[in-house]
Amino acid sequence: MAIEVFNRKENKYMIDDNTYRQLVERLEEYMYSDEHSKDGGFYSISNVYYDTDTDELIRRSLAKPVYKEKLRLRSYGMPKDDDKVFIEIKKKYKGVVGKRRISLPYTAAIKYLEEGIRPDEGTVNSQILREIDYFRTVHKVVPKVWISYDRRAYFGKEDPGFRVTFDTNMRARRTDVDLQASDEGEQLVSAGKWLMEVKITNSMPQWFANLLTEFKIFPASFSKYGTEYKKYVVASIKKGEKVICLTQYSAQQAILQPAH
């Protein structure tokens, strides 16, 4: 059965190709490859993020509040109608990330999210379904952006709750916002960059902290959806289009410091 509830600390780091290759070699002494990453393989994760007509949720998130939340539809690969997908609420409070999700066939998930046709509570976790109901009612969300990436993942040999993932080929689009539409989008970061996410349920192992020191890897503030939104704001401003952003200062900062 798929895990429906996660609570953990998530640290992010942006690294280059050389650091990625060296780090992966060292990780294999302490970690196992995820079942989808056997023999150094990658697997594709695609998401549709839901937001208000005025992008309220991502704008609020970029303001770095103590508490923030997002709603997304996630699939592994491009789903067929009957393939299972996940509807997830992702919350972050004081640095601790919580995810609550239900799994449905793709067509049932779309009917629920975009037509309001609820699934039978006997087929999903009813408490989480009611939480998603509440989120959708309060925020009046619609599909806003498609984001996909290729992932390689590891989990600890001694602590399976300790995970390290590497994401590359991060891409996004605001047209055809549908998991079944295509696998193409605009790149979010420059070539040769990798997003490393460290997911900690208990505590970070000392050996991994030592690796971070050895390779001079430092935490980075990075959000795939946030990066896409800032790029969207910059492109809209350059085209002379009206766009709602956090503040005039935020728009200027987005132009002066675009996502890497």
Side-chain angles (χ1 to χ4, degrees), residues 103-142:
S103 177
L104 290 169
Y106 177 75
T107 52
I110 292 297
K111 286 180 179 179
Y112 168 54
L113 289 171
E114 300 182 17
E115 300 177 32
I117 302 175
R118 294 179 87 250
D120 184 344
E121 289 199 8
T123 64
V124 297
N125 184 310
S126 59
Q127 173 59 37
I128 297 177
L129 178 61
R130 287 193 290 271
E131 291 178 29
I132 298 171
D133 283 341
Y134 179 77
F135 187 104
R136 294 178 61 248
T137 299
V138 169
H139 296 294
K140 303 291 191 300
V141 293
V142 294

Side-chain angles (χ1 to χ4, degrees), residues 1-256:
M1 177 182 292
I3 300 174
E4 297 176 328
V5 179
F6 302 80
N7 288 290
R8 61 198 181 194
K9 183 84 171 179
E10 293 185 359
N11 298 333
K12 298 180 181 181
Y13 309 82
M14 194 64 70
I15 60 177
D16 59 24
D17 279 334
N18 186 51
T19 303
Y20 162 74
R21 287 191 293 268
Q22 294 184 71
L23 195 56
V24 164
E25 289 182 5
R26 300 286 291 278
L27 284 184
E28 292 179 350
E29 179 180 351
Y30 303 97
M31 307 189 81
Y32 294 114
S33 294
D34 180 278
E35 62 177 336
H36 301 293
S37 295
K38 295 297 185 184
D39 301 318
F42 292 80
Y43 57 98
S44 175
I45 299 175
S46 294
N47 308 273
V48 168
Y49 284 87
Y50 287 74
D51 210 325
T52 67
D53 285 334
T54 57
D55 300 303
E56 177 185 346
L57 296 177
I58 189 57
R59 290 189 291 110
R60 183 185 302 165
S61 177
L62 289 171
K64 300 188 183 301
V66 173
Y67 172 80
K68 55 187 178 182
E69 57 187 351
K70 299 173 183 174
L71 177 68
R72 67 189 179 196
L73 178 64
R74 166 169 288 193
S75 69
Y76 293 85
M78 188 179 297
K80 297 181 175 62
D81 287 350
D82 294 331
D83 286 346
K84 291 286 188 178
V85 295
F86 297 94
I87 303 174
E88 300 181 341
I89 293 180
K90 185 174 182 179
K91 307 178 180 183
K92 188 172 184 180
Y93 178 68
K94 291 186 176 180
V96 176
V97 174
K99 286 202 299 186
R100 301 174 69 76
R101 68 184 190 179
I102 59 173
S103 177
L104 290 169
Y106 177 75
T107 52
I110 292 297
K111 286 180 179 179
Y112 168 54
L113 289 171
E114 300 182 17
E115 300 177 32
I117 302 175
R118 294 179 87 250
D120 184 344
E121 289 199 8
T123 64
V124 297
N125 184 310
S126 59
Q127 173 59 37
I128 297 177
L129 178 61
R130 287 193 290 271
E131 291 178 29
I132 298 171
D133 283 341
Y134 179 77
F135 187 104
R136 294 178 61 248
T137 299
V138 169
H139 296 294
K140 303 291 191 300
V141 293
V142 294
K144 292 306 293 275
V145 63
W146 171 92
I147 296 177
S148 187
Y149 42 92
D150 300 327
R151 170 168 288 183
R152 185 174 182 180
Y154 294 86
F155 63 92
K157 292 180 178 179
E158 295 185 359
D159 177 12
F162 176 68
R163 287 175 52 83
V164 178
T165 62
F166 299 94
D167 294 342
T168 187
N169 192 26
M170 292 173 274
R171 53 211 186 272
R173 64 173 183 263
R174 283 186 172 251
T175 58
D176 297 323
V177 184
D178 183 333
L179 294 178
Q180 292 184 328
S182 80
D183 198 37
E184 301 297 323
E186 179 184 355
Q187 291 293 316
L188 291 179
V189 299
S190 57
K193 295 292 185 181
W194 297 75
L195 177 64
M196 179 174 73
E197 295 190 41
V198 179
K199 307 167 195 295
I200 306 164
T201 302
N202 299 307
S203 61
M204 181 183 292
Q206 186 60 50
W207 62 263
F208 188 79
N210 293 340
L211 284 180
L212 295 179
T213 301
E214 178 183 343
F215 287 101
K216 296 182 173 57
I217 301 173
F218 303 100
S221 177
F222 183 88
S223 159
K224 297 181 183 79
Y225 186 14
T227 297
E228 185 282 333
Y229 181 72
K230 286 186 283 187
K231 290 170 72 72
Y232 160 69
V233 168
V234 171
S236 298
I237 291 173
K238 288 181 177 179
K239 290 189 291 186
E241 297 176 354
K242 288 190 65 175
V243 60
I244 299 175
C245 54
L246 294 170
T247 63
Q248 181 180 2
Y249 174 76
S250 300
Q252 291 171 346
Q253 288 298 98
I255 293 172
L256 293 173

